Amino acid sequence: MTILATSRRVLSTGHLRVQPRNAVCQARWESKAVEGVKTVRDAALLSMRKNKQDETSDRQTVRPSVQPVTRAAQSTQSQVDKIAGLSEAEETKLDNMREAQSEIRDVLDSVLRQFSAPIRYAFAYGSGVYKQAGYGASKPMVDLIFGVSHPDHWHALNIAQHRNHYSFMGTLGANAVSFVQDRMGAGVYYNPFIEIEGVVIKYGVVSMGTLSSDLLNWDSLYLAGRMHKPTLTLRRDPLMRISKQVNLTHAVRAALLMLPKNFTTDELFTCIASLSFAGDIRMRIGGENPHKVQNIVEAQMPLFKSRYSSIIEGLPNLEYIGQDLLQQNMAPQARAAMLRKMPNNFYDRLLKQGRKAGIRLPPGFGAERVNTERLVVVDNISQIATKAVESIVAWPALTQSLKGVLSSGLTKSVSYMYAKNLKYRNN
């Protein structure tokens, strides 16, 4: 079965069934998956590993692929394509944003063509691509992520072509660079303040295994959290199509644990956008704008609605009850079933925080249903879930920032932090 065929099958059915022979086999299989997802089949199995426990109480999260539309069904298809919760003004704004995206993509495509080393997947994110409220007309640095198959080989080729992109680490060679990339922080190696084709960029290199594992398992939420917010895809990959959808669904479910029964779309997307900043030391020491989350959501609301529309419509425990007003099913069984579909890393951190809060949660695979049902009914589940996310984010965010001194050099690192601090103080 080819990667493309497997991708289509998973997207059309919502899951791919594999029955572990016993609990020991399942535990070994899931622990092995943490090392990196190698194929689309692994990605699909990871994302849907718990769905078989609740098949009777849940609908598919991944929307079925759309079949070719006949002339007679065009009017119906037009209604399906209409994004739920989007006002006419927001539709106009979204159209303008997409036109701007097309222009930016053309520019960044020319930037990517300057790299001879093979880039398997790439996306742009941040204020250099999408405007944020509260900022002036200055052109910020564009943030890019390159997903590559073999980081050591990629850096060897890139150092030979662009030695000036690297700090003193380039002198030590590709093996040293890839060692720092993989063993420190969140598995990303950044080169900032690089000017190509008149565009100042900061590009991060990550292995495809590390990236897909973070999206599916929330290992660090470093890249998965950035991809909760609008991003601009420059190079596509079938595996990423599935992993991105799973990651966004995880984000909605985590937000639902932190929100009341009724809430607005602004509250939902603010909660989602804040996940990657929870526990990030930069938010505490002035390395980031304290109003960054609100600025992102305010300026990019149509993009958020477009990004999450199919997921909101597909979740059985969430529905629109008015313009920009949502309601979730607060029944303990429904919330517990939702929690059991979250990444293992998040679930384990949630258990730890729950025990710290004094909730009796027995260990073991068989206790999962009991534990989830006990957790979702406590009054402070929102605070417990927030602390669980913080515990995932904190250490990788700290070590990744410290790694910047090695990957960027001391001068560039200080300049970068000063520029970010000055940017939000001036705005």
Side-chain angles (χ1 to χ4, degrees):
M1 183 181 293
T2 66
I3 289 179
L4 183 57
T6 307
S7 173
R8 287 173 176 168
R9 179 181 176 186
V10 174
L11 287 172
S12 63
T13 62
H15 61 282
L16 190 61
R17 295 175 182 270
V18 164
Q19 180 67 40
R21 285 177 295 178
N22 51 49
V24 174
C25 290
Q26 180 174 347
R28 289 176 178 173
W29 182 80
E30 290 188 349
S31 63
K32 182 179 179 181
V34 175
E35 299 175 2
V37 180
K38 302 299 182 184
T39 66
V40 173
R41 183 181 179 87
D42 292 333
L45 293 175
L46 274 170
S47 66
M48 305 301 170
R49 66 189 182 282
K50 296 179 182 178
N51 282 6
K52 59 181 179 294
Q53 299 174 1
D54 303 285
E55 287 178 356
T56 60
S57 63
D58 193 17
R59 300 201 316 242
Q60 295 172 356
T61 296
V62 181
R63 292 174 62 84
S65 58
V66 179
Q67 298 300 320
V69 182
T70 63
R71 185 179 299 274
Q74 285 181 353
S75 60
T76 302
Q77 184 62 43
S78 178
Q79 294 177 359
V80 172
D81 291 338
K82 185 177 178 63
I83 297 171
L86 208 61
S87 66
E88 291 185 6
E90 287 174 328
E91 287 180 355
T92 302
K93 186 176 181 180
L94 180 60
D95 289 339
N96 294 334
M97 286 179 166
R98 285 174 172 167
E99 289 181 8
Q101 285 179 2
S102 179
E103 295 176 1
I104 295 171
R105 183 181 286 109
D106 290 341
V107 173
L108 295 181
D109 280 342
S110 67
V111 170
L112 263 61
R113 286 194 291 269
Q114 306 307 311
F115 290 86
S116 298
I119 300 171
R120 182 171 161 186
Y121 176 73
F123 69 90
Y125 68 97
S127 58
V129 180
Y130 298 108
K131 291 183 179 179
Q132 298 177 14
Y135 289 88
S138 60
K139 292 183 63 176
M141 183 165 53
V142 176
D143 297 316
L144 301 173
I145 291 294
F146 298 162
V148 304
S149 298
H150 306 287
D152 51 349
H153 177 62
W154 196 93
H155 285 297
L157 296 175
N158 200 47
I159 289 173
Q161 183 186 13
H162 300 297
R163 173 61 186 88
N164 60 315
H165 290 189
Y166 292 80
S167 65
F168 69 93
M169 290 295 300
T171 306
L172 301 180
N175 289 336
V177 172
S178 60
F179 178 88
V180 170
Q181 173 181 319
D182 294 334
R183 302 299 179 88
M184 297 178 63
V188 190
Y189 190 96
Y190 279 106
N191 285 325
F193 297 109
I194 307 300
E195 184 172 350
I196 300 177
E197 298 286 300
V199 182
V200 179
I201 66 171
K202 177 184 74 174
Y203 66 91
V205 181
V206 62
S207 74
M208 292 294 287
T210 297
L211 175 57
S212 59
S213 184
D214 194 31
L215 293 174
L216 295 168
N217 305 318
W218 282 14
D219 299 324
S220 67
L221 269 174
Y222 191 84
L223 292 178
R226 281 155 176 76
M227 295 178 74
H228 290 161
K229 297 171 276 291
T231 60
L232 182 62
T233 302
L234 304 173
R235 296 276 175 87
R236 300 184 182 279
D237 181 86
L239 170 61
M240 288 299 106
R241 182 183 177 187
I242 299 174
S243 301
K244 283 164 58 179
Q245 183 82 347
V246 172
N247 179 47
L248 297 181
T249 306
H250 288 336
V252 174
R253 287 174 171 154
L256 292 180
L257 288 174
M258 305 174 188
L259 291 168
K261 181 176 181 178
N262 297 333
F263 50 89
T264 64
T265 51
D266 182 80
E267 290 172 323
L268 172 64
F269 298 136
T270 298
C271 188
I272 290 173
S274 67
L275 293 175
S276 63
F277 295 106
D280 192 336
I281 191 173
R282 296 176 302 167
M283 299 298 290
R284 302 176 184 177
I285 63 173
E288 280 287 3
N289 186 339
H291 306 294
K292 188 177 184 70
V293 172
Q294 291 81 359
N295 291 339
I296 291 172
V297 175
E298 179 182 340
Q300 301 172 24
M301 178 60 75
L303 291 170
F304 273 98
K305 288 184 177 181
S306 174
R307 194 172 186 81
Y308 286 94
S309 175
S310 63
I311 295 172
I312 292 174
E313 291 178 345
L315 289 176
N317 58 327
L318 183 61
E319 62 178 348
Y320 276 99
I321 57 173
Q323 182 67 35
D324 292 332
L325 186 62
L326 292 156
Q327 183 178 87
Q328 64 168 314
N329 184 353
M330 297 297 285
Q333 295 84 356
R335 284 169 68 78
M338 177 185 73
L339 177 55
R340 286 194 290 273
K341 294 173 185 175
M342 291 296 289
N344 280 348
N345 191 32
F346 175 81
Y347 173 73
D348 292 340
R349 305 290 181 121
L350 198 69
L351 287 184
K352 185 175 181 180
Q353 295 300 325
R355 292 184 179 116
K356 285 184 178 180
I359 306 172
R360 295 186 60 185
L361 302 169
F365 289 109
E368 187 179 56
R369 183 175 294 272
V370 173
N371 288 338
T372 54
E373 291 177 354
R374 289 181 181 180
L375 280 166
V376 297
V377 297
V378 298
D379 294 334
N380 60 335
I381 180 60
S382 176
Q383 290 77 17
I384 293 173
T386 300
K387 289 181 179 179
V389 172
E390 289 176 351
S391 68
I392 296 174
V393 172
W395 180 248
L398 173 61
T399 52
Q400 185 69 38
S401 297
L402 295 175
K403 183 169 70 175
V405 177
L406 294 176
S407 61
S408 307
L410 182 61
T411 302
K412 283 188 177 181
S413 295
V414 172
S415 299
Y416 179 69
M417 292 300 296
Y418 176 77
K420 290 188 74 71
N421 186 279
L422 184 64
K423 181 171 67 174
Y424 85 74
R425 288 185 182 277
N426 290 339
N427 291 279

